Amino acid sequence: MRRAILGSLLAAGCLAAGLPVAAQSPAPQREAIRIGILSDLSGSFADVAGPGSVVAANLAVEDFSGRAAGLPVQILSGDHQNRADTGSGIARRWFDTEGVDAIVDLPNSAVALAVGEVARNANRVALVTAAVASRLTGDLCSPNLIHYSIDTWSMSNVPSRTLVQQGGATWFYVTADYAFGHDLERQSTDAVTRAGGRVVGSVRHPLGTTDFSSVLLQAQASRASVVALANSQADFINSMKQASEFGLMRRGQRVVGLAVYISDIVSLGLEATEGAVVVGSFYWDLTEGTRSFGRRFADRMGGRMPTDLQANVYAAVTHYLKAVEALGSSTDGRAVVARMKATPTEDSAFGKGEIRADGRRVSPVYVFQVKAPGESRSRYDVYRLVREVPLEEAYRPIAQGGCPLVQGGG
């Protein structure tokens, strides 16, 4: 950048003096399209995203025989360590000096929001396949960003409405005491109330709680029809395991996890999770397409099936490369994102879908119930499909998000 500025000043000086201006060197020839998988490779999100996201990206590239727009496609990976400053620092380096065209994955909403702003300023592409903040397609939407993972609105509204309609009239919340948990509880409470249900109590717990005894005793004493776990990762695993030990489900209370992935269920086992209700946008055993992708992924991951977030990476890289192929270039991030929005999505993991003006990827969302141990045929055969949610119920209405792109700004 400094050289470019100095060159411009020198040229202006030569023109002012009536001197000839030396021809500038042409821009270096691009050698590859580079996609960076910026993830949590060793921390709390490593199982649901992490190394599996890198594998999913490579599977998508293989579908294009490793090339797009006449150039080889290269996959890089980096660990943001769940720190927004670390993530944005890697993003700036990748964009400014390492020729990265798009960054994908981004578990942890604070990291995703920070990297999204870096991508906007650099006019590159951010494909958020793991973070769940609804602001990514709301007031902080961007012409350089697409959000693939379902967000806190969907996580809260879909199961809440479904369970109230099935007779779950009273609710009790076990909520992680930080912004993510508060957001889940607030949006779920609104959905329960709108559907005609009633909240009878809630209790908040610190991040990283290991003993949920007192919390679950309060949930049990509330006699609520539904106990909602507004937490994730280790907090969900610990609270769900102890809910099973306390016999909440055996006593007739339904337990719903608002932010659950298949790796959580497999880690806990079906004896501890039988009957739990979860929401997701992907399950490996839904269709021939999901089974095909699941097997390809499992072959690279020692038999582990993909999570929703890892399947999102495959879908996002696939659609990105289609757009780059159509444009013949990856250099203008806004143009690539605009092309992605203008083109219907289609891949083996999610089938057909679309990308809205606010950057929200829209594809089917499902309500699942965890199987009993006797129903399961294999380690990853864990879900029974309860309901495919109509798209108009599955995502926040675009007019309610406050995205400036929808209003003609941005």
Side-chain angles (χ1 to χ4, degrees):
M1 177 64 75
R2 186 166 178 265
R3 288 181 180 177
I5 293 171
L6 288 173
S8 298
L9 292 173
L10 180 59
C14 289
L15 287 170
L19 300 174
V21 180
Q24 295 186 14
S25 301
Q29 186 71 29
R30 289 178 58 81
E31 297 179 352
I33 295 166
R34 310 193 86 192
I35 300 171
I37 308 302
L38 186 52
S39 193
D40 173 8
L41 297 177
S42 57
S44 59
F45 293 101
D47 283 344
V48 296
S53 292
V54 180
V55 167
N58 278 299
L59 290 175
V61 172
E62 289 173 15
D63 290 346
F64 288 77
S65 300
R67 300 182 68 82
L71 294 172
V73 180
Q74 298 175 352
I75 299 294
L76 292 73
S77 64
D79 190 346
H80 61 52
Q81 301 172 25
N82 289 302
R83 292 172 55 95
D85 57 345
T86 299
S88 56
I90 293 171
R92 278 191 289 270
R93 187 184 78 241
W94 278 358
F95 289 150
D96 293 346
T97 66
E98 298 187 28
V100 169
D101 299 287
I103 290 178
V104 188
D105 206 22
L106 301 169
N108 186 302
S109 291
V111 176
L113 290 165
V115 171
E117 189 61 20
V118 175
R120 180 175 186 147
N121 292 335
N123 192 22
R124 303 296 172 86
V125 175
L127 304 177
V128 181
T129 57
V132 297
S134 57
R135 296 186 71 188
L136 289 160
T137 55
D139 62 315
L140 296 180
C141 68
S142 162
N144 294 78
L145 183 147
I146 294 174
H147 194 186
Y148 273 77
S149 46
I150 61 174
D151 59 22
T152 51
W153 191 97
S154 298
M155 289 174 162
S156 303
N157 279 263
V158 170
S160 304
R161 186 185 298 114
T162 297
L163 289 177
V164 171
Q165 291 171 349
Q166 293 179 352
T170 53
W171 285 61
F172 186 97
Y173 290 88
V174 175
T175 302
D177 194 11
Y178 65 109
F180 169 73
H182 300 170
D183 193 25
L184 283 178
E185 180 183 336
R186 176 183 58 80
Q187 297 201 60
S188 176
T189 296
D190 290 346
V192 166
T193 303
R194 287 195 307 271
R198 182 167 56 94
V199 176
V200 298
S202 67
V203 62
R204 293 180 173 178
H205 65 82
L207 184 67
T209 295
T210 56
D211 185 359
F212 284 86
S213 301
S214 62
V215 170
L216 293 170
L217 282 172
Q218 293 179 64
Q220 194 174 61
S222 75
R223 300 186 182 276
S225 304
V226 178
V227 176
L229 305 179
N231 53 21
S232 67
Q233 304 297 301
D235 288 329
F236 166 76
I237 289 173
N238 288 329
S239 58
M240 185 70 218
K241 181 179 180 181
Q242 290 171 47
S244 175
E245 293 169 351
F246 273 73
L248 267 64
M249 288 176 284
R250 289 196 303 274
R251 292 180 172 88
Q253 290 180 297
R254 301 188 75 175
V255 178
V256 56
L258 298 180
V260 183
Y261 302 101
I262 190 172
S263 54
D264 301 326
I265 302 300
V266 171
S267 175
L268 282 162
L270 297 185
E271 290 186 0
T273 55
E274 176 185 350
V277 176
V278 301
V279 169
S281 59
F282 172 86
Y283 176 49
W284 71 271
D285 199 20
L286 277 174
T287 68
E288 281 304 313
T290 60
R291 284 186 282 274
S292 173
F293 170 67
R295 286 191 292 267
R296 289 178 65 197
F297 182 92
D299 285 345
R300 306 288 179 89
M301 290 291 292
R304 297 180 62 176
M305 287 295 175
T307 66
D308 301 49
L309 307 186
Q310 291 156 345
N312 285 335
V313 172
Y314 173 78
V317 173
T318 295
H319 199 56
Y320 172 79
L321 292 177
K322 287 179 182 178
V324 169
E325 273 282 330
L327 291 173
S329 172
S330 62
T331 57
D332 184 340
R334 287 179 180 80
V336 174
V337 167
R339 183 73 186 205
M340 293 176 74
K341 290 179 178 179
T343 308
T345 62
E346 185 171 7
D347 55 79
S348 60
F350 295 93
K352 296 181 179 180
E354 63 175 316
I355 299 170
R356 302 190 316 196
D358 59 356
R360 169 77 268 162
R361 189 277 303 268
V362 174
S363 65
V365 173
Y366 308 95
V367 178
F368 300 107
Q369 188 168 35
V370 178
K371 290 182 174 182
E375 297 177 87
S376 176
R377 299 161 297 172
S378 63
R379 187 182 182 202
Y380 285 88
D381 177 24
V382 297
Y383 289 155
R384 179 192 314 111
L385 178 63
V386 173
R387 180 184 183 227
E388 180 175 338
V389 183
L391 292 180
E392 62 271 17
E393 295 181 20
Y395 298 95
R396 179 180 59 198
I398 192 169
Q400 295 179 11
C403 171
L405 301 177
V406 176
Q407 301 166 7

